[in-house]
């Protein structure tokens, strides 16, 4: 919602809070086949993308989310070659994934082509890697994509979806994770954004661990990171797999051959430290 036309505000009814950004212009608004997409120019955070009233990303802080959705899971896998991104239509996660030389194929499957087309116009730097020969952009429902995919066809699946409402809801279900598990290779890993540990521990984070385990992952691990434009400013992603996820290719991460603004090997380790209230639950 906009407050007096100079602020965009996202109220959180569950926590009685709201996050607001000072805006200078509305650049675009459309109702796509799937969702309402808005783009604003903010005063201090660059451009802002909103889907169905929820903040998706801003120019200023999206690097934290996109790097944490990609690098921890890719440095946890011994040799990630085939990567599937479900959602992620803004292409920021795809760009990070393709920084890894081991990756030979990165397929992005977003239900809504309009998110990508608008990102190409308004967030061109996130789309830098779209023409990489290893990148494939598909516009389809991620739920059906994993249902139809062949067994053992991906090393890493990154679920960069909207919140568990609307077209993103089923992406948080045990059945979806079962299909992810089926289409992953032996050391395969799935990662999904798991919302705010402070606000969504019982409703999303804990059930995600349980459902990933019920789907066949013996190990799950949550990475914490700040994201000031998302509810509470504290966000997370959760990895599922079948080996000890505390171990990762630390040397490779320390000597990474590409630039990041947030991720490094120390952040990797620090992000897995759990506060007391999460220890008994996740
Ligand atoms: N970082 C963001 C967040 O958590 O607010 C997510 C960004 S990304 C733009 C989310 C994408 O998920 C959207 O582009 C949306 O179209 C896509 N999406 C939602 N449901 C989907 C589904 N069932 N299959 C594929 N993509 C889906």
């Amino acid at each position: 919602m906009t407050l007096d036309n100079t602020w965009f505000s996202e109220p959180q009814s569950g926590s009685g809070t709201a996050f607001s950004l000072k805006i200078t212009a509305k650049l675009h608004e459309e109702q796509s086949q799937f969702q309402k997409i808005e783009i604003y120019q903010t005063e201090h955070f660059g451009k802002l993308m909103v889907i169905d009233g929820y903040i998706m990303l801003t120019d200023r802080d999206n690097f934290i989310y996109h790097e944490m959705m990609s690098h921890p899971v890719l440095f946890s896998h011994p040799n990630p070659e085939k990567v599937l991104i479900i959602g992620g239509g803004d292409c920021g996660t795809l760009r990070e994934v393709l920084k890894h030389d081991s990756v030979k194929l990165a397929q992005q499957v977003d239900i809504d082509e309009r998110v990508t087309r608008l990102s190409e116009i308004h967030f061109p730097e996130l789309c830098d890697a779209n023409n990489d020969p290893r990148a494939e952009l598909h516009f389809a429902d991620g739920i059906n994509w994993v249902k139809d995919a062949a067994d053992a066809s991906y090393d890493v699946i990154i679920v960069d979806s909207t919140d568990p409402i609307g077209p993103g809801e089923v992406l948080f279900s045990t059945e979806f994770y079962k299909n992810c598990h089926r289409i992953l290779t032996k050391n395969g890993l799935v990662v999904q954004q798991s919302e705010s540990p402070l606000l969504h521990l019982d409703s999303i984070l804990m059930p995600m661990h349980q459902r990933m385990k019920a789907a066949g992952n013996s190990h799950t691990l949550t990475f914490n990171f700040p994201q000031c434009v998302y509810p509470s400013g504290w966000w997370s992603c959760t990895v599922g797999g079948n080996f000890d996820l505390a171990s990762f290719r630390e040397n490779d991460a320390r000597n990474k051959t590409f630039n990041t603004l947030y991720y490094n090997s120390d952040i990797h380790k620090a992000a897995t430290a759990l506060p007391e209230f999460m220890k008994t639950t996740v």
Side-chain angles (χ1 to χ4, degrees):
M1 65 188 275
T2 47
L3 304 171
D4 76 13
N5 291 332
T6 64
W7 290 86
F8 173 84
S9 197
E10 180 187 316
Q12 285 291 312
S13 50
S15 61
T17 61
F19 182 78
S20 304
L21 284 156
K22 191 104 169 104
I23 53 173
T24 52
K26 181 183 258 191
L27 303 175
H28 188 80
E29 175 178 338
E30 73 178 63
Q31 179 67 47
S32 75
Q33 193 189 338
F34 302 98
Q35 51 211 353
K36 183 176 167 191
I37 310 170
E38 295 163 272
I39 314 274
Y40 294 93
Q41 183 65 52
T42 73
E43 208 168 274
H44 296 288
F45 273 66
K47 286 186 185 173
L48 159 70
M49 180 192 282
V50 176
I51 291 185
D52 286 342
Y54 295 100
I55 293 174
M56 289 291 115
L57 62 100
T58 75
D59 273 325
R60 185 159 180 185
D61 73 336
N62 76 79
F63 67 92
I64 305 176
Y65 176 88
H66 288 135
E67 291 182 15
M68 290 305 284
M69 288 296 287
S70 312
H71 305 309
V73 72
L74 290 169
F75 279 120
S76 296
H77 191 281
N79 182 33
E81 293 188 346
K82 292 173 89 185
V83 179
L84 172 65
I85 301 164
I86 300 290
D90 55 70
C91 305
T93 297
L94 178 69
R95 184 184 67 172
E96 295 306 313
V97 165
L98 289 167
K99 288 180 179 176
H100 289 252
D101 290 337
S102 69
V103 172
K104 295 191 169 136
L105 172 71
Q107 291 180 325
Q108 176 183 288
V109 180
D110 196 292
I111 201 166
D112 194 346
E113 181 168 0
R114 290 301 301 151
V115 175
T116 299
R117 298 302 165 225
L118 288 169
S119 297
E120 287 166 349
I121 297 167
H122 294 286
F123 299 92
E125 65 295 344
L126 296 184
C127 300
D128 271 355
N130 287 10
N131 293 324
D132 186 307
R134 300 169 295 159
E136 278 183 15
L137 273 60
H138 299 269
F139 300 105
D141 189 336
I143 296 151
N144 294 334
W145 190 276
V146 299
K147 241 188 244 165
D148 296 343
D151 292 0
S153 39
Y154 298 99
D155 299 313
V156 171
I157 300 174
I158 300 176
V159 190
D160 179 3
S161 65
T162 40
D163 298 339
I165 35 175
E169 194 173 347
V170 184
L171 298 171
F172 289 74
S173 68
T174 307
E175 195 198 340
F176 174 72
Y177 299 138
K178 274 188 183 157
N179 270 319
C180 289
H181 192 251
R182 180 183 60 74
I183 67 174
L184 280 171
T185 48
K186 187 165 161 275
N187 288 315
L189 296 173
V190 59
V191 63
Q192 181 162 25
Q193 66 98 357
S194 42
E195 313 251 320
S196 164
L198 188 68
L199 302 180
H200 309 117
L201 183 70
D202 295 332
S203 56
I204 291 169
L205 232 169
M206 221 165 36
M208 187 177 291
H209 280 261
Q210 289 159 353
R211 290 171 193 169
M212 280 186 177
K213 284 196 167 125
N217 297 287
S218 56
H219 292 69
T220 52
L221 184 66
T222 289
F223 290 83
N224 295 276
F225 53 93
Q227 198 69 55
C228 70
V229 302
Y230 289 169
S232 85
W234 175 8
W235 217 244
S236 67
C237 62
T238 296
V239 181
N242 282 302
F243 57 89
D244 179 10
L245 300 171
S247 65
F248 68 109
R249 291 185 288 119
E250 191 172 345
N251 259 343
D252 291 351
R254 190 173 304 115
N255 301 312
K256 63 187 167 52
T257 52
F258 51 82
N259 288 331
T260 49
L261 291 170
Y262 186 74
Y263 178 86
N264 58 39
S265 58
D266 289 335
I267 288 282
H268 187 123
K269 285 184 276 184
T272 64
L274 290 183
E276 291 302 307
F277 79 92
M278 287 172 75
K279 278 184 182 161
T280 51
T281 47
V282 301

